[in-house]
C-alpha cells in the first residue's frame, strides 16, 4: 500500500468511525462502556447459511455476530467486527475474537471427523483436549456431557440424533464463552 492509498484508507476509517458514533447517538445509546457478551458464527453448522447484518452500520456480510451489551442501554446490539471494536474501544480485541472463532471452527471440523469409542449400547466417549467427552442415549433422547456440564438440548431443541449430540458435546468441550469472556472476566 502506498502513502496515497493509506491516506484514503485512513480517511475512510475515520469517516466510518464517525458514522458509527453518530448512529449510536441517534439511538440515544452510549458511545462507550460496551462489552461483548457473546459471539455467534452464523455458518457454524452450515457453510452456505446466509450471512447476518450489522445493526450499527448495516453491513450485510457478517459471519461472526458480536453481541454488545451496555449497562446504560435497554438491549444488546448485534454487530460485525469493526463496529464491535469501535463500541468497545478496541478493534484489535474484536479482531482477536474473530481469529479465535475461526480457529474454533477448524477444531470443530476435526472434532466431527474423530472416532468415538462405543463400549456399550447408548454410550459413547472420547477424549478432547485432555478432557473426557461423553454421549448418552436413552429412548431416542441424547445427552452430551463434558467439563462437568451436560446438555440434552442443542440450539433450543431436544437432541434426537447422534450428530446433534456431537455438536452439543463440542459446545461443552470447547465453549464459546472461553473466547468471549477472556477480557470480561
Ligand atoms: Zn458494522
Amino acid at each position: 500500500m502506498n502513502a496515497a492509498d493509506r491516506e484514503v484508507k485512513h480517511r475512510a476509517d475515520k469517516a466510518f468511525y464517525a458514522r458509527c458514533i453518530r448512529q449510536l447517538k441517534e439511538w440515544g445509546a452510549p458511545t462507550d462502556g460496551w462489552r461483548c457478551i457473546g459471539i455467534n458464527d452464523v455458518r457454524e453448522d452450515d457453510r452456505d447459511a446466509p450471512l447476518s447484518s450489522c445493526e450499527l452500520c448495516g453491513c450485510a456480510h457478517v459471519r461472526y455476530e458480536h453481541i454488545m451489551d451496555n449497562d446504560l442501554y435497554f438491549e444488546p446490539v448485534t454487530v460485525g467486527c469493526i463496529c464491535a471494536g469501535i463500541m468497545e474501544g478496541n478493534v484489535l480485541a474484536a479482531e482477536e475474537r474473530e481469529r479465535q472463532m475461526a480457529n474454533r471452527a477448524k477444531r470443530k471440523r476435526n472434532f466431527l471427523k474423530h472416532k468415538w469409542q462405543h463400549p456399550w449400547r447408548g454410550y459413547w466417549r472420547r477424549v478432547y483436549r485432555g478432557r473426557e467427552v461423553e454421549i448418552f442415549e436413552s429412548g431416542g433422547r441424547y445427552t452430551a456431557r463434558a467439563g462437568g456440564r451436560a446438555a440434552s438440548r442443542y440450539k433450543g431443541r431436544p437432541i434426537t440424533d447422534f450428530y446433534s449430540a456431537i455438536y452439543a458435546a463440542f459446545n461443552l468441550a470447547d465453549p464459546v464463552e472461553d473466547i468471549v469472556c477472556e477480557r470480561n472476566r
Side-chain angles (χ1 to χ4, degrees):
M1 207 190 291
N2 64 34
D5 284 344
R6 256 201 304 276
E7 175 58 25
V8 167
K9 185 170 180 296
H10 183 63
R11 256 184 294 163
D13 287 351
K14 267 168 85 171
F16 185 81
Y17 176 88
R19 194 144 47 88
C20 289
I21 297 295
R22 198 159 56 232
Q23 182 66 64
L24 286 169
K25 285 181 178 162
E26 254 171 52
W27 288 345
T31 55
D32 58 14
W34 292 91
R35 65 187 184 280
C36 180
I37 56 164
I39 182 164
N40 180 35
D41 177 359
V42 299
R43 293 198 162 159
E44 181 173 17
D45 295 339
D46 174 6
R47 62 186 349 174
D48 298 319
L51 292 170
S52 176
S53 291
C54 173
E55 290 180 1
L56 190 60
C57 74
C59 163
H61 306 288
V62 175
R63 171 169 173 171
Y64 299 104
E65 298 174 322
H66 301 240
I67 322 287
M68 307 303 290
D69 191 48
N70 194 306
D71 293 339
L72 303 176
Y73 199 58
F74 73 103
E75 64 175 1
V77 179
T78 302
V79 297
C81 182
I82 302 302
C83 288
I86 290 170
M87 291 169 88
E88 68 191 306
N90 190 341
V91 173
L92 290 181
E95 287 176 345
E96 174 62 15
R97 272 200 301 279
E98 292 218 348
R99 195 184 66 77
Q100 290 194 27
M101 284 296 283
N103 287 341
R104 181 178 180 271
K106 262 183 240 158
R107 292 197 298 272
K108 180 162 179 168
R109 283 199 294 278
N110 289 330
F111 188 84
L112 299 180
K113 281 186 230 153
H114 202 283
K115 288 253 191 318
W116 292 75
Q117 296 168 24
H118 186 28
W120 57 81
R121 212 182 136 179
Y123 179 70
W124 295 260
R125 71 176 295 279
R126 56 168 293 191
V127 173
Y128 176 71
R129 299 176 121 188
R131 272 187 195 161
E132 184 158 67
V133 186
E134 298 169 299
I135 293 173
F136 303 86
E137 183 268 330
S138 172
R141 291 295 180 91
Y142 292 78
T143 300
R145 198 154 74 186
R149 295 194 304 157
S152 52
R153 300 174 84 82
Y154 180 68
K155 300 214 159 152
R157 289 215 288 269
I159 302 170
T160 54
D161 65 274
F162 187 63
Y163 284 97
S164 299
I166 295 176
Y167 286 174
F170 181 75
N171 284 352
L172 294 175
D174 197 331
V176 171
E177 291 82 12
D178 284 357
I179 293 172
V180 172
C181 299
E182 215 157 69
R183 245 161 46 94
N184 295 335
R185 257 197 291 257

